Amino acid sequence: MATAPEPEILAAFESAKGFMPRHEGLALHAAAVEAASLGLPLLEVGTYCGRSTLLLADAARAAGLTAVTVDHHRGSEEQQPGWEYHDPEVVDPEVGLMDTLPTFRRTLHRAGLEEHVLALVGRSPRAAAVWGGPLGLVFIDGGHTDEHATADYEGWAPHLAEGGLLVIHDVFPDPADGGQAPYRIYLRALASGAFTELPATDSLRVLRRTAPGL
Ligand code: SAH
Ligand code: MG
């Protein structure tokens, strides 16, 4: 079975706002296709404008599953006005805060993937606290402070089924390349003994849950 997304999904991905490079996106998609064989929902932390969500949604659609994506849609620290990754197009002028939800919805709609996605709008730890079932994939691409990355790991990794995949974006072992919080949760996952690492693609790391004990 071919695992690459259809050309129209790739085109939608390329034209969507966001922070997922194509080669890492293809690796994420391949992980999602593989994880989908478990028949469980695929979960993303960090929707932003839906760029990476499209890839999980495409894998979910092909397997008859649901992609779940969590974001408060107010942006991470580094996306706020005055910071490096700010985009003034995603500010709600009425409330004066970032709001990426409308752009996210357009992204999904344009790609014809709305049906396959459940969007949870709110803070990741709150969503994790009420989430009740096992997941086939947990993709962590939310806040990049230690507080947020740690909460994402602690909140969602325990919901990952055995055999499921934990995928972490923006893992930079060298501080010169980027913040260390995603790297630290990656190390923590490895140290837990519950995961086996699969091949990485740049900053995208893929771990398979092979044991209980989280
Ligand atoms: N996956 C996206 C990029 C995500 S950017 C892409 O491929 O383009 C990170 C996102 O995480 C932002 O939209 C921000 O609002 C969200 N975020 C940060 N901390 C969060 C938290 N604690 N709970 C929910 N969302 C959070
Ligand atoms: Mg990222």
Side-chain angles (χ1 to χ4, degrees):
M1 188 178 81
T3 62
E6 299 296 323
E8 58 273 20
I9 300 297
L10 258 186
F13 167 81
E14 297 278 15
S15 66
K17 273 187 199 295
F19 304 102
M20 179 59 63
R22 182 190 170 104
H23 67 298
E24 292 178 333
L26 290 175
L28 173 64
H29 183 266
V33 168
E34 188 191 325
S37 67
L38 292 178
L40 297 168
L42 312 174
L43 177 119
E44 165 178 75
V45 182
T47 315
Y48 193 62
C49 298
R51 185 174 165 96
S52 50
T53 316
L54 289 178
L55 304 171
L56 300 191
D58 186 55
R61 178 183 50 78
L65 303 174
T66 300
V68 183
T69 184
V70 186
D71 202 308
H72 48 54
H73 288 279
R74 296 299 188 202
S76 298
E77 282 77 358
E78 70 278 12
Q79 295 161 354
Q80 300 305 317
W83 293 83
E84 188 180 356
Y85 295 102
H86 182 62
D87 179 346
E89 287 179 9
V90 293
V91 172
D92 175 348
E94 189 172 321
V95 303
L97 294 173
M98 281 181 64
D99 184 1
T100 49
L101 186 57
T103 313
F104 159 67
R105 300 208 69 199
R106 284 183 209 115
T107 301
L108 270 194
H109 176 75
R110 209 180 293 133
L113 289 170
E114 275 184 320
E115 269 307 298
H116 309 282
V117 177
L118 173 65
L120 303 181
V121 180
R123 296 193 166 273
S124 165
R126 282 191 189 270
V130 299
W131 186 261
L135 296 165
L137 177 132
V138 170
F139 171 49
I140 298 181
D141 194 21
H144 284 1
T145 63
D146 276 307
E147 179 198 347
H148 291 129
T150 299
D152 291 341
Y153 175 74
E154 291 181 352
W156 292 107
H159 293 299
L160 191 61
E162 268 186 67
L165 299 180
L166 173 66
V167 182
I168 307 175
H169 195 220
D170 304 305
V171 170
F172 298 114
D174 183 347
D177 296 329
Q180 298 288 283
Y183 179 53
R184 281 194 274 270
I185 60 167
Y186 157 80
L187 291 180
R188 187 167 157 190
L190 286 179
S192 75
F195 295 95
T196 305
E197 185 157 20
L198 302 179
T201 303
D202 275 344
S203 79
L204 192 94
R205 304 303 163 98
V206 184
L207 308 178
R208 188 191 307 282
R209 185 167 186 184
T210 43
L214 285 176

Coordinates of all heavy atoms in Angstrom, one line a residue, residues 90-137:
V90 N -3.5 36.2 11.8 CA -4.3 35.3 12.6 C -4.6 35.9 14.0 O -4.7 35.2 15.0 CB -3.7 33.9 12.8 CG1 -3.7 33.1 11.5 CG2 -2.2 33.9 13.3
V91 N -4.8 37.2 14.0 CA -5.2 38.0 15.2 C -6.7 38.3 15.0 O -7.1 38.7 13.9 CB -4.4 39.3 15.4 CG1 -5.0 40.1 16.5 CG2 -3.0 38.9 15.7
D92 N -7.5 38.0 16.0 CA -8.9 38.4 16.0 C -9.0 39.9 16.4 O -8.7 40.2 17.6 CB -9.7 37.5 17.0 CG -11.2 38.0 17.1 OD1 -11.5 39.1 16.6 OD2 -11.9 37.2 17.7
P93 N -9.3 40.8 15.5 CA -9.2 42.2 15.8 C -10.2 42.6 16.9 O -10.0 43.5 17.7 CB -9.6 42.9 14.5 CG -10.2 41.9 13.6 CD -9.8 40.6 14.1
E94 N -11.3 41.9 17.0 CA -12.4 42.2 18.0 C -11.9 42.0 19.4 O -12.1 42.8 20.3 CB -13.6 41.4 17.7 CG -14.8 41.9 18.6 CD -16.1 41.3 18.2 OE1 -16.3 41.1 17.0 OE2 -16.9 41.0 19.1
V95 N -11.2 40.9 19.6 CA -10.7 40.6 21.0 C -9.3 40.9 21.2 O -8.8 40.9 22.3 CB -11.0 39.1 21.4 CG1 -12.5 38.8 21.3 CG2 -10.2 38.1 20.6
G96 N -8.6 41.2 20.1 CA -7.2 41.6 20.2 C -6.2 40.4 20.5 O -5.1 40.6 21.1
L97 N -6.7 39.2 20.3 CA -5.8 38.0 20.6 C -5.7 37.2 19.3 O -6.5 37.3 18.4 CB -6.4 37.2 21.7 CG -6.5 37.8 23.1 CD1 -7.3 36.9 24.0 CD2 -5.1 38.1 23.6
M98 N -4.7 36.3 19.3 CA -4.6 35.4 18.2 C -5.8 34.4 18.2 O -6.3 34.1 19.3 CB -3.4 34.5 18.4 CG -2.1 35.2 17.9 SD -0.7 34.0 18.1 CE -1.2 32.7 17.0
D99 N -6.3 34.1 17.0 CA -7.3 33.1 16.9 C -7.1 32.3 15.6 O -7.4 32.8 14.5 CB -8.7 33.7 16.9 CG -9.8 32.7 16.9 OD1 -9.5 31.5 16.8 OD2 -11.0 33.0 16.8
T100 N -6.5 31.2 15.7 CA -6.2 30.4 14.5 C -7.3 29.4 14.1 O -7.2 28.7 13.1 CB -4.8 29.6 14.7 OG1 -4.9 28.9 16.0 CG2 -3.6 30.5 14.7
L101 N -8.4 29.4 14.9 CA -9.4 28.5 14.6 C -10.1 28.7 13.3 O -10.3 27.7 12.5 CB -10.5 28.5 15.8 CG -11.6 27.5 15.7 CD1 -11.1 26.0 15.7 CD2 -12.5 27.7 16.9
P102 N -10.4 29.9 12.9 CA -11.1 30.1 11.5 C -10.2 29.6 10.4 O -10.6 29.0 9.4 CB -11.3 31.6 11.5 CG -11.3 32.1 12.9 CD -10.4 31.2 13.6
T103 N -8.9 29.9 10.5 CA -7.9 29.5 9.4 C -7.8 28.0 9.4 O -7.8 27.4 8.3 CB -6.6 30.1 9.7 OG1 -6.7 31.5 9.9 CG2 -5.7 30.0 8.4
F104 N -7.8 27.4 10.6 CA -7.8 25.9 10.7 C -9.0 25.3 10.0 O -8.9 24.4 9.2 CB -7.7 25.5 12.1 CG -8.2 24.1 12.4 CD1 -7.5 23.0 11.9 CD2 -9.4 23.9 13.1 CE1 -7.9 21.7 12.1 CE2 -9.8 22.6 13.3 CZ -9.1 21.5 12.8
R105 N -10.1 25.9 10.2 CA -11.4 25.3 9.6 C -11.3 25.5 8.1 O -11.8 24.6 7.4 CB -12.6 26.0 10.2 CG -12.7 25.8 11.7 CD -14.1 25.9 12.2 NE -14.8 24.7 11.8 CZ -16.1 24.6 11.7 NH1 -16.8 25.6 12.1 NH2 -16.7 23.5 11.3
R106 N -10.8 26.6 7.6 CA -10.7 26.8 6.2 C -9.7 25.7 5.6 O -10.0 25.2 4.5 CB -10.2 28.2 5.8 CG -11.3 29.2 6.0 CD -10.8 30.6 5.6 NE -11.5 31.6 6.3 CZ -11.0 32.4 7.3 NH1 -9.7 32.4 7.5 NH2 -11.8 33.2 7.9
T107 N -8.6 25.5 6.2 CA -7.6 24.5 5.8 C -8.3 23.2 5.6 O -8.1 22.5 4.5 CB -6.5 24.4 6.8 OG1 -5.9 25.7 6.9 CG2 -5.4 23.4 6.3
L108 N -9.0 22.7 6.6 CA -9.6 21.4 6.6 C -10.7 21.3 5.5 O -10.8 20.3 4.8 CB -10.3 21.1 7.9 CG -9.5 20.4 9.0 CD1 -10.5 19.9 10.0 CD2 -8.7 19.2 8.4
H109 N -11.5 22.4 5.5 CA -12.6 22.4 4.5 C -12.1 22.3 3.1 O -12.6 21.6 2.2 CB -13.4 23.7 4.7 CG -14.5 23.8 3.7 ND1 -15.7 23.1 3.7 CD2 -14.6 24.6 2.6 CE1 -16.4 23.4 2.7 NE2 -15.8 24.3 2.0
R110 N -11.1 23.1 2.8 CA -10.5 23.2 1.4 C -10.0 21.8 1.0 O -10.1 21.5 -0.1 CB -9.4 24.2 1.4 CG -9.2 24.9 0.1 CD -8.0 25.9 0.1 NE -8.3 27.0 1.0 CZ -7.5 27.6 1.9 NH1 -6.3 27.0 2.1 NH2 -7.8 28.6 2.6
A111 N -9.5 21.1 2.0 CA -8.9 19.8 1.6 C -10.0 18.7 1.7 O -9.7 17.5 1.4 CB -7.8 19.4 2.6
G112 N -11.2 19.0 2.0 CA -12.3 18.0 2.1 C -12.1 17.0 3.2 O -12.6 15.9 3.1
L113 N -11.5 17.4 4.3 CA -11.2 16.5 5.4 C -11.9 16.8 6.7 O -11.7 16.1 7.7 CB -9.7 16.4 5.6 CG -8.9 15.8 4.5 CD1 -7.4 16.0 4.7 CD2 -9.2 14.3 4.4
E114 N -12.9 17.7 6.6 CA -13.6 18.1 7.9 C -14.2 16.9 8.6 O -14.2 16.8 9.8 CB -14.7 19.1 7.6 CG -14.2 20.5 7.5 CD -15.3 21.5 7.3 OE1 -16.2 21.2 6.6 OE2 -15.3 22.6 8.0
E115 N -14.8 16.0 7.8 CA -15.5 14.8 8.3 C -14.7 14.0 9.2 O -15.2 13.2 10.0 CB -15.9 14.0 7.1 CG -17.3 14.3 6.5 CD -18.3 14.3 7.6 OE1 -18.5 13.2 8.2 OE2 -18.9 15.3 7.8
H116 N -13.4 14.0 9.0 CA -12.5 13.0 9.7 C -11.8 13.5 10.9 O -11.0 12.8 11.5 CB -11.5 12.4 8.6 CG -12.2 12.0 7.4 ND1 -12.9 10.8 7.3 CD2 -12.5 12.6 6.2 CE1 -13.5 10.7 6.1 NE2 -13.2 11.8 5.4
V117 N -12.1 14.8 11.2 CA -11.4 15.4 12.3 C -12.3 15.9 13.4 O -13.4 16.5 13.2 CB -10.6 16.7 11.8 CG1 -9.9 17.4 12.9 CG2 -9.6 16.2 10.7
L118 N -11.9 15.6 14.7 CA -12.5 16.2 15.8 C -11.6 17.2 16.5 O -10.5 16.8 16.9 CB -12.8 15.0 16.8 CG -13.3 15.4 18.2 CD1 -14.7 15.9 18.1 CD2 -13.3 14.1 19.1
A119 N -12.0 18.5 16.5 CA -11.1 19.5 17.0 C -11.5 19.8 18.4 O -12.7 20.1 18.7 CB -11.3 20.8 16.2
L120 N -10.6 19.7 19.3 CA -10.8 20.1 20.7 C -10.2 21.4 21.0 O -9.0 21.6 20.7 CB -10.2 19.1 21.7 CG -10.6 17.6 21.5 CD1 -9.9 16.7 22.5 CD2 -12.1 17.5 21.6
V121 N -11.0 22.4 21.4 CA -10.5 23.8 21.5 C -10.4 24.0 23.0 O -11.4 24.1 23.8 CB -11.5 24.8 20.9 CG1 -10.9 26.2 21.1 CG2 -11.6 24.5 19.4
G122 N -9.1 24.1 23.5 CA -8.9 24.4 24.9 C -7.5 23.9 25.2 O -6.7 23.6 24.3
R123 N -7.1 24.0 26.5 CA -5.8 23.6 26.9 C -5.6 22.1 26.9 O -6.4 21.4 27.3 CB -5.5 24.2 28.3 CG -5.5 25.7 28.3 CD -5.0 26.3 29.5 NE -4.8 27.7 29.3 CZ -3.7 28.2 28.8 NH1 -2.6 27.5 28.5 NH2 -3.6 29.5 28.6
S124 N -4.4 21.8 26.4 CA -4.1 20.3 26.2 C -4.2 19.6 27.5 O -4.8 18.5 27.5 CB -2.6 20.3 25.7 OG -2.1 19.0 25.8
P125 N -3.8 20.1 28.7 CA -3.9 19.2 29.9 C -5.4 19.0 30.3 O -5.7 17.9 30.8 CB -3.2 20.0 31.0 CG -2.3 20.9 30.2 CD -3.0 21.3 28.9
R126 N -6.2 20.0 30.0 CA -7.6 19.8 30.3 C -8.2 18.7 29.4 O -9.0 17.9 29.9 CB -8.4 21.1 30.1 CG -8.3 22.1 31.1 CD -9.3 23.2 31.0 NE -9.0 24.3 31.9 CZ -9.5 24.3 33.1 NH1 -10.4 23.4 33.5 NH2 -9.2 25.3 34.0
A127 N -7.9 18.7 28.1 CA -8.4 17.7 27.2 C -7.9 16.3 27.6 O -8.6 15.4 27.7 CB -8.0 18.1 25.8
A128 N -6.6 16.3 28.0 CA -6.0 15.0 28.4 C -6.7 14.4 29.6 O -6.9 13.2 29.7 CB -4.5 15.1 28.6
A129 N -7.1 15.3 30.5 CA -7.7 14.9 31.8 C -9.0 14.3 31.6 O -9.5 13.5 32.4 CB -7.7 16.1 32.8
V130 N -9.8 14.7 30.5 CA -11.1 14.2 30.3 C -11.1 13.1 29.2 O -12.2 12.5 29.0 CB -12.2 15.2 30.0 CG1 -12.3 16.2 31.2 CG2 -11.9 16.0 28.7
W131 N -10.0 12.9 28.6 CA -9.9 11.9 27.5 C -10.0 10.5 28.1 O -9.3 10.2 29.0 CB -8.7 12.1 26.7 CG -8.7 11.2 25.5 CD1 -8.1 10.0 25.4 CD2 -9.4 11.4 24.3 NE1 -8.3 9.4 24.2 CE2 -9.1 10.3 23.5 CE3 -10.1 12.5 23.8 CZ2 -9.7 10.2 22.2 CZ3 -10.7 12.4 22.5 CH2 -10.4 11.2 21.7
G132 N -10.9 9.6 27.6 CA -11.1 8.4 28.2 C -10.6 7.1 27.5 O -10.6 6.1 28.1
G133 N -10.2 7.2 26.3 CA -9.9 5.9 25.6 C -8.5 5.8 25.0 O -7.7 6.8 25.1
P134 N -8.1 4.7 24.5 CA -6.8 4.5 24.0 C -6.6 5.2 22.7 O -7.5 5.3 21.9 CB -6.6 3.0 23.9 CG -8.0 2.5 23.7 CD -8.9 3.4 24.5
L135 N -5.4 5.5 22.4 CA -5.0 6.2 21.1 C -4.0 5.4 20.4 O -3.1 4.8 21.0 CB -4.4 7.6 21.4 CG -5.4 8.6 22.1 CD1 -4.6 9.8 22.7 CD2 -6.4 9.1 21.1
G136 N -4.0 5.5 19.0 CA -3.1 4.8 18.2 C -1.8 5.6 17.9 O -0.8 5.1 17.7
L137 N -2.0 7.0 18.0 CA -0.9 7.9 17.8 C -1.0 9.1 18.6 O -2.1 9.6 18.7 CB -0.8 8.2 16.3 CG 0.3 9.2 15.9 CD1 1.1 8.7 14.7 CD2 -0.2 10.6 15.6

